[in-house]
Amino acid sequence: MTTALITGASTGIGEKFAKELASRQTNLVLVARSQDKLDNLATELSSKYQIKTTVIAQDLTTTAARKAVFDTVQAQNITIDLLINNAGFGDYGAFSDRPLSKMMEMVQLNISAVVELTGLFLPLMQTRKDGAIINVSSIAAFQPIPYMSVYAASKAFILNFSEALWAENKDLGVRILAICPGPTESEFYDRADFPKSTTAFNTMTMASAEAVVKESLRALDKSQSTAVVGGFKNQIIVNLPRLMPRDLLVGVVGKQFKHI
Ligand SMILES: NC(=O)c1ccc[n+]([C@@H]2O[C@H](COP(=O)([O-])OP(=O)(O)OC[C@H]3O[C@@H](n4cnc5c(N)ncnc54)[C@H](OP(=O)(O)O)[C@@H]3O)[C@@H](O)[C@H]2O)c1
């Protein structure tokens, strides 16, 4: 049986990855801050599918926490076949209006945790010439987003980082995939305090997290570097920026995201 480690497994897309992989007889290591939610999910999935589950409650914004996750997995002799770097959050508002500490926390979780967990687990996969990493980027990666500047930039980092690693590892037996969901049902928008009065919010089509997960796992089966998931509209959104001058692009996106 294979084992997947999923960060941000307590809700949303990460929780649905856990449910889908459990139904495919994958053992799970579930990571997030909410110990109770992870424990409940682990109990539900291990009794429903007879899989092994391990819960590691950690706040991944620190290096110590990421090392604790790695050390716990090593101490229990668990081989991670699939690492899903999914934990992340957004925050709405003009950069200078938002607490700098929150922006730095976002950089720590959305970028540093992904780089560090990848750096810890990838060499083991390379030695085995087997394994896969899914990094959760976003369609926000394809253009700057005023009022979500750090978030969109963090997802651009993840997309570029993952695609480069895909090329470095494709002949080494390790698959790397960046998934780029569009708007997806989860706690993301509430947690980001995203205002319902924006054009962006009112023109969104929400995909289900289950559909996003299934599409992502199909892309992994095909060893793709990148998968824009969650509906055809997202394919259009990510391709439009190629056709527009960047000043015009960021101006148009800014109007969509401005709080009215
Ligand atoms: N929903 C969308 O429209 C959308 C679109 C594109 C990309 N994404 C990306 O998808 C990923 C999952 O988000 P989601 O939509 O499923 O949102 P969500 O429902 O808010 O889930 C976020 C997950 O991350 C965990 N998390 C947050 N802060 C953490 C921390 N400091 N340490 C460890 N875990 C932490 C949360 O658990 P705890 O609170 O228990 O720690 C939760 O399990 C994110 O990377 C997000 O950027 C979402």
Side-chain angles (χ1 to χ4, degrees):
M1 230 189 228
T2 57
T3 303
L5 187 157
I6 306 166
T7 71
S10 61
T11 59
I13 296 170
E15 182 187 355
K16 294 297 187 279
F17 263 119
K19 290 187 168 171
E20 181 61 30
L21 289 166
S23 77
R24 298 178 188 200
Q25 288 294 297
T26 308
N27 292 329
L28 298 172
V29 179
L30 305 172
V31 183
R33 292 168 302 183
S34 308
Q35 174 105 45
D36 290 359
K37 285 186 193 167
L38 294 179
D39 284 342
N40 290 340
L41 183 63
T43 305
E44 177 197 331
L45 297 181
S46 54
S47 68
K48 191 167 176 190
Y49 298 108
Q50 281 77 53
I51 56 158
K52 267 184 76 178
T53 52
T54 306
V55 165
I56 308 177
Q58 286 289 347
D59 178 338
L60 291 172
T61 52
T62 67
T63 282
R66 297 160 208 149
K67 292 220 168 96
V69 169
F70 182 73
D71 291 345
T72 305
V73 166
Q74 293 297 96
Q76 296 190 23
N77 278 321
I78 301 170
T79 300
I80 301 301
D81 302 285
L82 172 61
L83 167 65
I84 304 182
N85 283 310
N86 163 78
F89 72 95
D91 180 69
Y92 181 87
F95 175 72
S96 47
D97 292 344
R98 305 304 299 151
L100 189 53
S101 58
K102 191 164 191 191
M103 299 300 106
M104 295 314 296
E105 222 176 86
M106 194 188 302
V107 169
Q108 280 300 324
L109 184 65
N110 294 13
I111 299 179
S112 302
V114 177
V115 174
E116 193 155 16
L117 288 173
T118 300
L120 291 168
F121 286 102
L122 179 59
L124 303 179
M125 294 179 181
Q126 289 172 332
T127 304
R128 297 198 314 270
K129 297 187 176 20
D130 191 28
I133 300 175
I134 297 178
N135 290 333
V136 180
S137 176
S138 165
I139 62 166
F142 291 82
Q143 69 287 296
I145 302 187
Y147 312 105
M148 287 195 94
S149 57
V150 177
Y151 178 73
S154 75
K155 293 302 178 181
F157 180 101
I158 295 306
L159 177 60
N160 281 264
F161 173 61
S162 308
E163 287 177 327
L165 291 197
W166 173 86
E168 288 178 10
N169 287 278
K170 69 186 170 62
D171 299 326
L172 303 178
V174 182
R175 290 167 293 158
I176 313 280
L177 169 69
I179 63 160
C180 302
T184 305
E185 286 160 3
S186 76
E187 296 185 8
F188 178 86
Y189 290 94
D190 284 343
R191 290 188 183 205
D193 285 329
F194 200 87
K196 297 192 169 44
S197 58
T198 51
T199 309
F201 190 84
N202 287 304
T203 53
M204 269 175 199
T205 316
M206 290 278 174
S208 77
E210 287 95 337
V212 161
V213 162
K214 285 191 173 140
E215 244 184 286
S216 302
L217 292 174
R218 277 198 297 276
L220 184 66
D221 285 343
K222 290 193 238 163
S223 301
Q224 286 175 219
S225 65
T226 315
V228 174
V229 291
F232 183 68
K233 192 175 169 189
N234 297 332
Q235 306 288 343
I236 298 171
I237 292 170
V238 302
N239 281 296
L240 275 178
R242 296 170 199 246
L243 307 171
M244 289 168 83
R246 290 189 72 81
D247 287 5
L248 178 63
L249 172 70
V250 75
V252 169
V253 178
K255 282 193 185 132
Q256 298 264 318
F257 279 78
K258 190 162 186 180
H259 196 338
I260 305 158

